Amino acid sequence: MLKGKKIVLGVTGGIAVYKAVDLVSRLRKQGCEVRVVMTEHAQQFVTPLTFKEISGNQVAVSMWTANQEFNVEHIALANWADVFVVAPATANIIAKMAYGLADDLLSTTLLAAQAPIIVCPAMNTGMFENPATQENIAKLQSRGVTVMPPAVGVLACGTSGAGRLPEPPQIVEFISDFFAKREGDMRGLKVLVTAAGTREPIDPVRFVGNRSSGKMGYAVAQMAAERGADVLLVSGPSALTPPANVRTIKVETTNEMLEACLAAYPEMDIVIKAAAVADYRPRDVADQKIKKKTDDALTVVMDKNPDILKTLGAAKTHQVLVGFAAETQNLIDNARDKVVKKNLDMIVANDVTAAGAGFNADTNIVKFLFADGAIQSLDCLPKTEVAQRILNEALRIKSERK
Ligand code: CTP
């Protein structure tokens, strides 16, 4: 996604400046051309020379030093960029951007920028949470600036306090996803996503269900639609609102989900089965509410449900098939077993008992296991970001198959 992209990186003065050096190096490895603009405060942490060596370009630092390359430097840089990234972005530059101040080279260039802007805030938690900063961020977002959420403590799971600059690989991925969305890299593809848990009725008022919220599947559906795919979401009951531009079929039971998936399957390019499917259903569903009996125990006999994913795996022709594995133990072994048994191209394995993962959480910690035996471990990430990574991999598998 990033090959050949022209990126202007604005670096402001915070302790995280050192990460910006790594960021430039990684962006270049992805094939980007990077030009760095540093504020005076940023130069207190790292010298322009470091960025010059890493970026392979002159570093812009002042309105008043002539640059041989550009005539009017801030205007030239503003016009040159495909995207303008500010990382780390201090509370100060965010406030200046919000109010349109232009009192140094970076703020002036940002004000003149024609390209989209991505801001990566990095500051102390108190400063980040201060209503002034939050209002400024909201103001920027309302004008179309993309804001990458800062990392929290030791990364989202556990310690509170947002404000850390995310690690450079995550910023690279974020920028790549940004371009993926803009350029609609999934245009023309048909994607089936299943989400939430299925429910099996016992009587008219009771059911057997599970704790799935649908957040992971809805995030996948939303991101695929934003990237231009034609998305069909088959969802069990969920409190979430289906994403815009996504066709949604609401189902209740495993058999209903199977039927909806089988009907759509032949025309699909990518299938992502995030639903938590009920493996069993009560054999007899009572017509009327079951009344309390004198016995202390109630026995409900359950019959096995069809395995939707396995059925799709057996019928696979051209589709890229991605499953999920929710495990509480032996994550890798159990997940690998499912890849083989269900004829998957990839499985997203998560230990649902880990902090920051599993049902109802906004983040997830997953591993990708591929049909060829490769494994990729991801950090604790927002489910929307996990969704992007899943789509990136599904696209890669699809393109390698051609
Ligand atoms: N799945 C399915 N139909 C089922 C059960 C699971 O399509 N009847 C799919 C899920 O949507 C998920 C994957 O299979 O993508 C793995 O689900 P999981 O519940 O982790 O595994 P199971 O195959 O049910 O095995 P077990 O419960 O023994 O771990």
Side-chain angles (χ1 to χ4, degrees), residues 322-367:
V322 181
F324 275 68
E327 306 292 346
T328 55
Q329 57 183 349
N330 300 334
L331 183 68
I332 303 278
D333 289 347
N334 286 334
R336 192 178 301 294
D337 248 26
K338 287 175 190 171
V339 172
V340 178
K341 281 193 190 136
K342 303 192 188 198
N343 191 24
L344 308 181
D345 296 288
M346 166 182 164
I347 201 159
V348 181
N350 70 325
D351 176 349
V352 286
T353 61
F359 303 124
N360 222 0
D362 289 319
T363 52
N364 214 349
I365 309 168
V366 302
K367 292 187 193 315

Side-chain angles (χ1 to χ4, degrees), residues 36-104:
V36 177
V37 184
M38 295 180 80
T39 61
E40 211 176 305
H41 290 172
Q43 295 168 56
Q44 299 293 321
F45 293 89
V46 172
T47 64
L49 185 63
T50 309
F51 279 106
K52 179 175 175 247
E53 292 306 320
I54 296 285
S55 69
N57 282 313
Q58 289 291 340
V59 174
V61 290
S62 160
M63 298 286 285
W64 317 116
T65 42
N67 185 328
Q68 307 304 328
E69 268 181 275
F70 294 128
N71 213 350
V72 183
E73 193 169 25
H74 62 281
I75 302 295
L77 278 171
N79 289 336
W80 175 83
D82 290 322
V83 70
F84 209 125
V85 180
V86 187
T90 56
N92 186 46
I93 190 72
I94 290 169
K96 289 208 282 188
M97 289 171 75
Y99 286 91
L101 296 183
D103 63 353
D104 63 2

Side-chain angles (χ1 to χ4, degrees), residues 254 273-275 277-279 306-309 323-327 338 342:
T254 298
K273 276 221 86 261
V277 181
D279 289 327
D307 188 318
I308 304 170
L309 191 55
F324 275 68
E327 306 292 346
K338 287 175 190 171
K342 303 192 188 198

Side-chain angles (χ1 to χ4, degrees), residues 1 179-181 183-187 189 227-228 392 395:
M1 230 38 247
F179 280 115
K181 266 196 234 165
E183 292 169 16
D185 63 347
M186 297 190 76
R187 207 166 288 145
L189 291 178
R227 289 166 73 159
N392 292 348
L395 273 185

